[in-house]
């Protein structure tokens, strides 16, 4: 059974870059046609899909965040990372990594990490 675990700083200053890592166990991020997504939920708001990296290494981003978002992977560690630049307090949220099953829309997930709170504040 695949497991995902987010890690990274809980506090980031405005204008800095937020970097989070998702470590995957029980399955490879490079096989079986899965996609791997980052999603966030600001306080009092719904879930927002931010972007994804495919088993092939191709990346896809939300149009509203594309200019500030980068997703990469380290296949030797079975990890994928999120970088969000020029953060503001509006980027305060719980950040999740999740797996997208093959053949399903990128808004469909079959496994989630537990989530990590990130606060943007000086």
């Amino acid at each position: 059974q695949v497991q995902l675990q987010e890690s990274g700083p809980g506090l980031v200053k405005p204008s800095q870059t937020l970097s989070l890592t998702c470590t995957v166990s029980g399955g490879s991020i490079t096989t079986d046609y899965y996609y791997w997504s980052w999603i966030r939920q600001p306080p009092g708001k719904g879930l927002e899909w931010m972007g994804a990296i495919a088993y092939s290494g191709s990346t896809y981003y939300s149009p509203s965040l594309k200019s500030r978002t980068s997703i990469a992977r380290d296949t030797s560690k079975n990890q994928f990372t999120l970088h969000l630049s020029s953060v503001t307090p509006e980027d305060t949220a719980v950040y999740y990594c999740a797996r997208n099953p093959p053949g399903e829309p990128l808004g469909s997930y079959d496994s989630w990490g537990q989530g990590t709170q990130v606060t943007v504040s000086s």
Side-chain angles (χ1 to χ4, degrees):
Q1 180 177 352
V2 69
Q3 293 184 323
L4 298 89
Q5 178 67 59
E6 304 90 349
S7 60
L11 180 64
V12 182
K13 295 184 183 300
S15 81
Q16 292 186 341
T17 295
L18 180 164
S19 296
L20 297 173
T21 297
C22 184
T23 301
V24 178
S25 59
S28 172
I29 64 172
T30 64
T31 62
D32 296 331
Y33 307 104
Y34 285 102
Y35 287 54
W36 305 86
S37 284
W38 284 100
I39 307 106
R40 68 180 182 179
Q41 186 168 29
K45 298 184 179 180
L47 294 170
E48 178 183 23
W49 178 79
M50 301 180 69
I53 187 164
Y55 60 96
S56 61
S58 298
T59 52
Y60 307 85
Y61 300 107
S62 167
S64 64
L65 294 170
K66 184 176 182 178
S67 64
R68 298 195 293 130
T69 305
S70 175
I71 298 174
R73 66 182 185 177
D74 185 337
T75 57
S76 67
K77 296 180 180 179
N78 214 37
Q79 296 175 332
F80 61 105
T81 59
L82 170 73
H83 302 287
L84 181 66
S85 63
S86 304
V87 297
T88 72
E90 286 66 40
D91 294 309
T92 294
V94 178
Y95 286 75
Y96 299 92
C97 57
R99 188 178 75 171
N100 307 96
E104 297 292 331
L106 287 176
S108 177
Y109 313 101
D110 64 1
S111 296
W112 290 77
Q114 65 181 24
T116 186
Q117 173 70 46
V118 177
T119 301
V120 179
S121 176
S122 56

